Amino acid sequence: MDTDSFKGRIALVTGGSRGIGRAIVKELCSRGARVFFTYRRSDEAADRVVAECGAEKMRCSQTDNEAIENAVLSICTTAGKIDILVNNAGITCDQFLMLMPSEDWERVMETNMGGAYRWTKAVCRSMLSAKTGVIINIASVSGLVGISGQTNYAASKGAVLAFTRACAAEFGSKGIRVNAIVPGFIDTDMTAKMPRHIKQAELERIVLKRFGKPEEVASVAAFLASDAAAYVTGQTIIVDGGLTSTVPS
């Protein structure tokens, strides 16, 4: 690993206090980037990340337009620019569609897809001015394959993939690359809450016979953010241990 590969670059990671977001924050910091990250609830979790790698925390809601605009303005004022945006923050509110409250549908869509839209819109202005930038959207295998009880989550992540391709087409001529990462089942707080029998069933479907590690997603994010991926845009990179390779087309 080149510890200076991102020296001088400014990164913003949403939802960076735990799980995949935390791993991405730490990976970018380890490569020399100055990293800002957002979080929603736990000051304690955010403080641990700050202590671990020196990243800078910002409490901010995915659904608050004004707060997002102010956060981006604050970073640009403090650091002068934003080179890398990682849209990672997301939530689940799983329930069978027939029983799903409309509030849960709207909350998941507004947080996962709406949040990616708001942050991208706020950050792209400075990237367009600089004629350079990298945007990485974290989606999910739920956006590619049907998972019972996740119609809202699947719809939001499928939308993120379409959003990624459209943004890549829109921003490519301006020097901005946009890609998506599709993690499979990764060892995080979210998967830890899954019932044991469901976890076992999913393990059987995974070619590598294990859940992934957040760091394995973070290393892909670092590649996409690096100059090594300078000719990669509009792509969906699947990091799922072979899970989707076994799904019939």
Side-chain angles (χ1 to χ4, degrees):
M1 178 181 65
D2 185 352
T3 55
D4 290 326
S5 58
F6 289 163
K7 188 174 182 180
R9 297 191 190 181
I10 311 300
L12 168 60
V13 180
T14 67
S17 65
R18 59 195 181 104
I20 291 171
R22 171 177 171 268
I24 293 173
V25 169
K26 293 177 68 176
E27 180 71 19
L28 295 179
C29 281
S30 73
R31 293 174 183 247
R34 181 179 180 182
V35 183
F36 296 82
F37 70 94
T38 70
Y39 69 105
R40 186 166 55 101
R41 288 182 298 186
S42 175
D43 286 313
E44 183 179 355
D47 288 340
R48 278 198 299 270
V49 177
V50 173
E52 287 168 348
C53 63
E56 300 169 61
K57 66 176 185 177
M58 308 179 78
R59 186 193 288 271
C60 191
S61 168
Q62 287 282 97
T63 60
D64 188 331
N65 281 299
E66 184 176 359
I68 288 171
E69 292 279 355
N70 288 338
V72 170
L73 178 60
S74 176
I75 294 171
C76 289
T77 301
T78 300
K81 59 179 180 173
I82 296 174
D83 300 297
I84 302 163
L85 168 65
V86 181
N87 281 310
N88 168 74
I91 61 169
T92 59
C93 293
D94 294 353
Q95 181 57 274
F96 294 120
L97 182 63
M98 184 177 69
L99 303 174
M100 184 181 293
S102 59
E103 293 82 3
D104 284 357
W105 175 274
E106 292 161 5
R107 184 165 161 247
V108 169
M109 292 298 292
E110 277 296 292
T111 300
N112 298 356
M113 181 58 251
Y117 153 73
R118 293 181 188 93
W119 285 107
T120 301
K121 183 178 180 181
V123 169
C124 77
R125 294 180 186 128
S126 65
M127 290 184 175
L128 288 168
S129 295
K131 297 185 178 179
T132 185
V134 175
I135 299 170
I136 301 168
N137 297 319
I138 307 299
S140 167
V141 291
S142 290
L144 296 177
V145 300
I147 297 179
S148 178
Q150 285 198 329
T151 52
N152 52 1
Y153 187 67
S156 71
K157 293 302 187 176
V160 165
L161 295 176
F163 178 71
T164 298
R165 293 189 293 271
C167 285
E170 189 168 319
F171 298 148
S173 64
K174 307 299 190 297
I176 302 169
R177 296 188 294 107
V178 189
N179 292 288
I181 298 176
V182 174
F185 289 96
I186 309 296
D187 276 323
T188 64
D189 293 345
M190 191 178 294
T191 54
K193 297 174 183 176
M194 293 170 60
R196 181 177 297 180
H197 70 283
I198 294 178
K199 291 176 73 170
Q200 187 57 44
E202 295 301 339
L203 277 171
E204 291 300 316
R205 296 171 55 205
I206 298 171
V207 172
L208 296 183
K209 301 305 178 189
R210 66 175 177 85
F211 282 7
K213 301 173 184 178
E215 293 77 13
E216 292 171 318
V217 180
S219 64
V220 175
F223 164 71
L224 289 174
S226 74
D227 292 340
Y231 201 55
V232 180
T233 194
Q235 301 305 304
T236 297
I237 311 299
I238 302 173
V239 186
D240 69 351
L243 172 65
T244 52
S245 70
T246 66
V247 178
S249 58

